Amino acid sequence: MVLSPVRVVAMSFAAAIVVGTALLLLPGAVEPGSSTGFTEALFTSTSAMCLTGLIVVDTPVHWSGFGQVVILALIQAGGLGIMTMASMVGLVLADQIGLKARMNTAAEARASELGDVRDVVIGVIRLSIGIELVTAAALALRFALGYDEPVLRALWLGVFHSISSFNNAGFALYSDNMIGFATDPWICVPLMIAVILGGLGFPVLFEIGRRLRRRAPRSRSRAGWTLHTRLTVSVTAVLLALGFGAVLALEWARTLQGYNAAEKILVAAFQGVMPRTAGFNSVDYADLDDATLLVTDVLMFIGGGSGGTAGGIKVTTFALLLFIIIAEVRGERSVTILDRRVDTRVQRQALAVALIGIGLVMTSTIVLLAGTPFGLNELLFEVTSAFATVGLSTGITAELPHWGQWILILLMYLGRIGPITMVSALAARQRGRRYDLPAERPLIG
């Protein structure tokens, strides 16, 4: 029996999570005197493989060096797997459909002009490791020179947080995450840059790198950018600015009141970047205003770029939905973005991804509200963070009952593989009818 690419993606992630759980259940994975239950191991393995960062045990205290290596390996495997699979799905499907559908599928699966599968995989690995090495070097130097960490310890801290940041995982080797480095730009800025690059997605980074190597004239370079890259970069920039501005304005006289102006800007910028969806935090989210949490909910749900390490419904999906609304308000017969017409099938895919995401978040929040003592803001934040594979939390993850943590496990898994498998399935299925049913228009609005 030949498995479809959709099933291969889902089963590969599930198998990796199972292996990670088994390794984390080993006695050597925890510090002496500690023990790990099955739910804790499964939750941590899922969170690492799905690049989320939610935790039910204190990472640096509970897990031994071996356990931390397992977590890091899961993060790296999850990041490389997601990026390569997202780019490879279109190439695999291209052998099963016609020429016109091949071009559409390649664009939808972010595999346009990426060459064969081998070139895609090699390119992703080189790019990922290159960015991670540069980030690790910057962080290790700061840990060694600025915090007097021993060389090996500084290297380990640099490598761990570099891989965690580029892969948008949010796992940290400090019990308070990055709160202790909230005002240190030499730690925060490299983390932010790595998070943004990972969140843009491999297809965008690949195209930018190709353009830089060619060193084309500016006018020609602009004209040749793909719609996907232009949308991803522009919408990401807008969302980063909105996140930064919202945190700065809403928390200026509250959580940020103890910092000077420059420090407030750094802290607000850090928290504006992390919903891309990294999960590092330099402030305690339990102390933030409800309005700030709601803004963060929206940013987390949108997420980052397609074909990258970020989660959420993706910025291109969000942008397309906005343009659909604009076209409908204007009474236009087709949806156009940056002088390009968008196929109606792609519009339906965007609506399906967004509405299914909303359904999962709302249903899970209602169930947890009915069965736990926590409030709406806390649970909506937790559920959105899990589905969008962010990892930000107000601190209630470990306090949820086991059945509540299993809901988050399922959300993390669906949130990670869902957009890829869903869009791939929709792209692969083109069932046409030999007849049309009578048309009728229900009242809308």
Side-chain angles (χ1 to χ4, degrees):
M1 181 179 67
V2 179
L3 294 177
S4 68
V6 172
R7 292 183 179 179
V8 170
V9 171
M11 292 176 62
S12 297
F13 273 85
I17 290 171
V18 170
V19 172
T21 301
L23 292 175
L24 292 177
L25 284 172
L26 295 175
V30 297
E31 292 289 355
S34 300
S35 61
T36 304
F38 177 77
T39 299
E40 287 77 15
L42 177 63
F43 191 100
T44 303
S45 178
T46 305
S47 183
M49 187 65 194
C50 295
L51 310 179
T52 306
L54 288 175
I55 57 173
V56 289
V57 294
D58 192 343
T59 302
V61 174
H62 182 83
W63 302 110
S64 66
F66 171 73
Q68 293 172 14
V69 169
V70 171
I71 292 172
L72 192 64
L74 289 170
I75 293 172
Q76 186 70 85
L80 289 176
I82 291 159
M83 298 174 81
T84 53
M85 287 178 185
S87 299
M88 286 166 54
V89 163
L91 296 172
V92 174
L93 294 178
D95 293 331
Q96 304 173 1
I97 53 182
L99 179 60
K100 182 178 179 180
R102 285 187 185 189
M103 297 175 65
N104 293 333
T105 304
E108 291 162 355
R110 290 80 69 190
S112 181
E113 299 182 19
L114 291 179
D116 58 30
V117 172
R118 180 176 177 274
D119 291 338
V120 172
V121 174
I122 293 176
V124 169
I125 293 175
R126 284 178 176 174
L127 184 59
S128 300
I129 293 179
I131 294 174
E132 289 169 354
L133 285 176
V134 173
T135 307
L139 293 174
L141 285 173
R142 182 57 178 169
F143 284 125
L145 301 178
Y147 297 93
D148 297 322
E149 293 281 2
V151 174
L152 291 180
R153 171 68 176 171
L155 286 173
W156 171 238
L157 290 172
V159 169
F160 189 97
H161 292 97
S162 169
I163 293 176
S164 184
S165 59
F166 176 69
N167 291 287
N168 280 220
F171 277 89
L173 293 182
Y174 293 92
S175 297
D176 61 355
N177 207 277
M178 294 290 114
I179 293 178
F181 306 100
T183 59
D184 188 346
W186 299 103
I187 296 293
C188 292
V189 172
L191 290 177
M192 287 191 289
I193 293 174
V195 166
I196 293 172
L197 291 176
L200 286 175
F202 172 69
V204 173
L205 296 179
F206 194 89
E207 182 174 356
I208 292 175
R210 187 170 62 246
R211 296 276 174 176
L212 292 176
R213 287 195 298 271
R214 290 179 180 176
R215 296 184 180 181
R218 179 172 296 182
S219 58
R220 290 178 56 193
S221 179
R222 283 181 178 175
W225 292 111
T226 62
L227 176 61
H228 173 74
T229 295
R230 288 186 289 170
L231 264 184
T232 300
V233 173
S234 58
V235 176
T236 296
V238 170
L239 294 177
L240 288 173
L242 288 176
F244 164 70
V247 174
L248 194 64
L250 295 172
E251 302 296 332
W252 181 275
R254 298 184 75 262
T255 310
L256 303 180
Q257 63 180 348
Y259 302 109
N260 61 41
E263 292 171 344
K264 288 180 179 179
I265 291 174
L266 177 62
V267 174
F270 192 82
Q271 300 312 140
V273 167
M274 292 309 138
R276 286 306 83 215
T277 50
F280 288 117
N281 63 286
S282 60
V283 296
D284 189 347
Y285 269 84
D287 297 332
L288 297 185
D289 186 72
D290 288 344
T292 308
L293 293 180
L294 185 57
V295 170
T296 307
D297 286 337
V298 175
L299 294 175
M300 291 191 299
F301 186 77
I302 296 172
S306 299
T309 59
I313 64 171
K314 310 303 183 185
V315 294
T316 46
T317 302
F318 172 70
L320 180 53
L321 294 176
L322 286 180
F323 280 99
I324 291 173
I325 295 173
I326 292 172
E328 187 61 32
V329 170
R330 291 178 176 178
E332 298 175 351
R333 299 182 61 182
S334 60
V335 177
T336 57
I337 304 177
L338 302 176
D339 300 323
R340 292 292 185 273
R341 181 177 58 83
V342 181
D343 188 85
T344 55
R345 291 188 64 252
V346 179
Q347 299 174 38
R348 294 200 303 269
Q349 291 168 16
L351 288 169
V353 170
L355 290 177
I356 291 175
I358 292 172
L360 287 172
V361 170
M362 290 298 100
T363 302
S364 301
T365 302
I366 292 171
V367 172
L368 290 173
L369 271 173
T372 66
F374 301 106
L376 174 61
N377 288 332
E378 295 170 307
L379 290 175
L380 179 60
F381 191 89
E382 198 80 11
V383 167
T384 305
S385 181
F387 169 75
T389 66
V390 182
L392 296 175
S393 175
T394 57
I396 68 171
T397 313
E399 300 177 29
L400 291 172
H402 278 184
W403 63 266
Q405 293 174 1
W406 275 81
I407 290 177
L408 297 185
I409 290 172
L410 181 61
L411 283 172
M412 288 189 288
Y413 179 73
L414 293 177
R416 176 50 60 191
I417 70 165
I420 296 175
T421 56
M422 191 185 311
V423 172
S424 300
L426 291 172
R429 294 180 180 178
Q430 297 189 21
R431 297 190 304 175
R433 288 182 175 177
R434 296 181 181 275
Y435 60 91
D436 284 328
L437 297 173
E440 187 173 348
R441 297 184 60 181
L443 297 178
I444 303 297

